[in-house]
């Protein structure tokens, strides 16, 4: 009974942690930064306590070196930071978020992690629909966040918590106050819910219901960024399934086709970018992103090797970020490209390490997805669907990273840390115990012993 209760508490903490990491703006708009800080602190402290009590062991060789190197460099950057106080805060937030990722990876089995993700995403999607319905039907007008004085109207669109456009077919912002973020959460939820449907871990009727809810929210956000992320995820899924069908010795056509596809897409984007942007209803400057990117590149070139110092989210009151990215009265707190943001903050050194971190995690996720578990499990075993999830989530994060920097903080960073550790653990499980299923591939009890 005590063990069941403790696992229930771990699941509850994991669900709250995932919810807070992805819906932090909900807490900030509802309870101000102080309320958000208290809830985020509870999640981080709870994760640390769970790690201390459960004491999951992780052998040195199973610790992702690139992850340690990147976090270590960000921490060391305080020493040469142009804004050391802000860097100290940013590194503290990064480390706290990393602790939650480690908690998800080591204190939950892979099946428990999927259930926690599904539960948190359900809450975000349902609350978003209810909130948008309340704004559209009861308020009948746009709603601003609580506790913030924006002065006299008119206000930029980005200032509103919701613009109340649900009955008009969107776009909706949901409780997270951003249609791109809500659309991305809906995409991740769709991946998780489909896996649960295929595996049969949730009753079929409910599983189909939640897939439909995620698809509806995804459509209502009308986010071009997330539509493109869906295309990338679909391509990753197609190539992974093709690689599975070919077997380990006959995959050269898969890799050649994938490489040719990447080249073709790059050429298409360069030659037809104007037409493509018009097709998706985007301005030629990608809604101001070109101006932000140019400003970030110019600043990064002033300190190209080690950067200006880690911060994560930009602090708009700190030089040189004060006024760096302002468009139509809105001050943006990110480079809207994770790779440029890393270069700006920790230089070429940090960018190389970050590429190694993401690349190694993607590499392990690919082989976890395409190589069958070495246990004689049949092709219809439900775990084969589960093994695709790390690859598809990373594909979505990578697609998002080209237009957003969210992979560097909050939910994005938490998932990167968790998947990095999970795939590293699975890699050694497959090597050391070829007759036992690895954690993200086929294990329901994948905690470290």
């Amino acid at each position: 009974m005590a063990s069941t209760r403790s696992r229930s508490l771990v699941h509850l903490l994991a669900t709250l942690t995932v919810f807070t990491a992805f819906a932090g703006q909900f807490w900030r708009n509802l309870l101000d930064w102080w309320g958000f800080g208290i809830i985020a602190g509870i999640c981080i402290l709870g994760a640390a306590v769970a790690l201390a009590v459960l004491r999951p062991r992780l052998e040195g060789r199973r610790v992702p070196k690139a992850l340690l190197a990147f976090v270590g460099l960000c921490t060391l950057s305080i020493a040469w930071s142009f804004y050391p106080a802000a860097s100290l805060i940013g590194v503290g937030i990064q480390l706290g978020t990393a602790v939650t990722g480690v908690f998800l990876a080591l204190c939950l089995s892979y099946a428990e992690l999927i259930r926690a993700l599904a539960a948190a995403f359900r809450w975000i999607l349902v609350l978003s629909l209810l909130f948008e319905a309340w704004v559209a039907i009861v308020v009948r007008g746009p709603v601003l966040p609580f506790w913030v004085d924006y002065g006299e109207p008119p206000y930029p669109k980005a200032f509103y918590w919701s613009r109340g456009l649900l009955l008009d077919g969107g776009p909706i912002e949901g409780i997270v106050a951003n249609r791109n973020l809500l659309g991305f959460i809906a995409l991740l939820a769709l991946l998780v819910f489909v896996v649960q449907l295929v595996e049969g871990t949730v009753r079929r009727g409910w599983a189909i219901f939640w897939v439909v809810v995620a698809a509806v929210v995804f459509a209502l956000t009308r986010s071009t960024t997330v539509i493109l992320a869906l295309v990338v995820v679909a391509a990753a899924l197609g190539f992974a399934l093709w690689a599975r069908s070919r077997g380990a010795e006959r995959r050269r056509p898969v890799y050649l086709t994938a490489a040719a596809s990447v080249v073709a897409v790059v050429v298409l984007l360069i030659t037809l970018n104007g037409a493509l942007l018009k097709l998706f209803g985007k301005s030629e400057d990608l809604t101001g992103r070109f101006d932000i990117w140019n400003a970030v590149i110019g600043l990064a070139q002033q300190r190209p090797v080690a950067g200006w110092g880690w911060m994560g989210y930009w602090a708009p009151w700190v030089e040189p970020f004060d006024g760096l990215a302002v468009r139509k009265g809105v001050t943006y707190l990110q480079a809207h490209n994770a790779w440029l943001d890393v270069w700006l903050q920790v230089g070429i050194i940090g960018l190389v390490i970050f590429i190694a971190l993401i690349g190694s995690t993607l590499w392990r996720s690919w082989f976890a997805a395409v190589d069958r578990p070495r246990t004689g499990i049949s092709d219809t075993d439900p775990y084969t669907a589960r093994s695709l999830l790390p690859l598809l989530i990373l594909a979505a994060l990578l697609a998002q990273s080209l237009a957003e920097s969210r992979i560097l903080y909050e939910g994005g960073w938490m998932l990167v840390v968790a998947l990095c550790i999970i795939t590293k653990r699975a890699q050694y499980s497959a090597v050391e115990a070829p007759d036992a299923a690895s954690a993200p591939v086929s294990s329901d009890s994948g905690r470290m012993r």
Side-chain angles (χ1 to χ4, degrees):
M1 180 66 70
S3 177
T4 302
R5 188 181 299 113
S6 65
R7 296 314 302 172
S8 296
L9 288 174
V10 169
H11 175 73
L12 180 62
L13 175 62
T15 302
L16 177 63
T17 298
V18 174
F19 180 94
T20 301
F22 281 97
Q25 195 61 39
F26 166 69
W27 296 123
R28 291 189 285 269
N29 285 355
L30 184 67
L31 304 175
D32 196 15
W33 277 91
W34 290 104
F36 164 73
I38 291 172
I39 294 173
I42 290 172
C43 292
I44 294 171
L45 180 60
V49 169
L51 287 166
V53 172
L54 298 177
R55 292 185 296 177
R57 288 192 300 157
L58 187 63
E59 297 177 12
R61 58 179 174 170
R62 300 191 186 196
V63 175
K65 305 303 186 297
L67 176 60
L68 288 181
F70 184 70
V71 173
L73 178 67
C74 292
T75 304
L76 288 175
S77 73
I78 297 173
W80 63 79
S81 174
F82 190 79
Y83 31 79
S87 283
L88 185 62
I89 296 172
V91 169
I93 294 172
Q94 183 197 42
L95 293 175
T97 307
V99 168
T100 64
V102 174
F103 159 69
L104 295 179
L106 297 184
C107 294
L108 278 72
S109 71
Y110 191 59
E112 288 173 331
L113 174 58
I114 292 176
R115 287 197 295 270
L117 290 173
F121 291 154
R122 287 189 196 112
W123 277 107
I124 294 174
L125 297 182
V126 167
L127 289 176
S128 290
L129 288 175
L130 292 175
F131 173 65
E132 290 289 349
W134 174 73
V135 174
I137 298 172
V138 178
V139 179
R140 298 185 180 183
V143 173
L144 290 166
F146 303 158
W147 316 108
V148 180
D149 182 10
Y150 287 115
E152 295 298 323
Y155 308 114
K157 293 179 181 179
F159 281 12
Y160 289 104
W161 190 347
S162 169
R163 288 183 288 156
L165 300 177
L166 176 64
L167 300 182
D168 298 325
I172 64 172
E173 293 82 15
I175 63 171
V176 298
N178 185 291
R179 65 171 176 158
N180 291 327
L181 178 55
L182 181 62
F184 189 74
I185 293 170
L187 174 59
L188 296 182
L190 194 60
L191 297 177
V192 173
F193 297 160
V194 168
V195 167
Q196 289 186 319
L197 174 63
V198 173
E199 290 187 353
T201 56
V202 176
R203 281 189 296 179
R204 184 173 180 81
W206 277 113
I208 293 174
F209 170 77
W210 287 113
V211 168
V212 172
V213 169
V216 168
V217 173
F218 180 94
L220 287 172
T221 61
R222 293 165 55 178
S223 170
T224 303
T225 301
V226 183
I227 291 174
L228 295 177
L230 176 61
V231 173
V232 173
V233 169
L237 175 61
F239 281 114
L241 294 178
W242 185 15
R244 278 184 173 185
S245 68
R246 299 287 296 182
E249 304 300 326
R250 297 181 293 115
R251 290 178 182 161
R252 180 174 294 181
V254 179
Y255 297 132
L256 291 177
T257 304
S261 299
V262 170
V263 173
V265 168
V266 171
V267 171
L268 188 65
L269 290 175
I270 293 175
T271 57
L272 299 177
N273 57 62
L276 290 173
L277 290 174
K278 187 177 296 184
L279 175 65
F280 284 102
K282 286 289 185 181
S283 60
E284 292 188 0
D285 66 346
L286 279 177
T287 320
R289 282 180 171 83
F290 285 174
D291 291 338
I292 297 175
W293 293 345
N294 287 332
V296 169
I297 291 171
L299 193 59
Q301 288 174 337
Q302 296 180 30
R303 302 179 71 168
V305 178
W308 289 75
W310 184 257
M311 181 179 290
Y313 260 132
W314 298 352
W317 61 87
V318 174
E319 189 183 355
F321 297 104
D322 50 344
L324 178 63
V326 179
R327 185 176 185 271
K328 295 182 178 179
V330 180
T331 300
Y332 291 92
L333 307 181
Q334 55 159 311
H336 279 285
N337 182 291
W339 311 92
L340 289 179
D341 231 333
V342 171
W343 180 31
L344 172 66
Q345 297 186 43
V346 283
I348 295 174
I349 298 173
L351 185 58
V352 169
I353 296 174
F354 187 68
I355 291 172
L357 166 61
I358 300 300
S360 60
T361 305
L362 185 64
W363 178 271
R364 295 190 297 269
S365 299
W366 169 260
F367 287 105
V370 302
D371 287 339
R372 299 292 183 187
R374 305 176 186 182
T375 57
I377 297 176
S378 69
D379 289 353
T380 58
D381 187 274
Y383 293 125
T384 58
R386 179 179 307 184
S387 67
L388 291 164
L389 197 54
L391 174 66
L392 301 183
I393 289 177
L394 278 172
L397 286 169
L398 283 173
Q400 184 195 44
S401 73
L402 299 177
E404 304 278 346
S405 299
R406 296 184 184 277
I407 196 174
L408 301 177
Y409 39 74
E410 294 192 332
W413 177 240
M414 180 188 68
L415 283 183
V416 166
V417 172
L419 293 178
C420 182
I421 295 173
I422 288 172
T423 55
K424 186 75 170 182
R425 181 178 63 190
Q427 179 187 47
Y428 275 98
S429 296
V431 171
E432 295 172 357
D435 293 326
S438 57
V441 178
S442 61
S443 175
D444 241 25
S445 57
R447 296 199 313 273
M448 291 301 302
R449 293 196 292 261

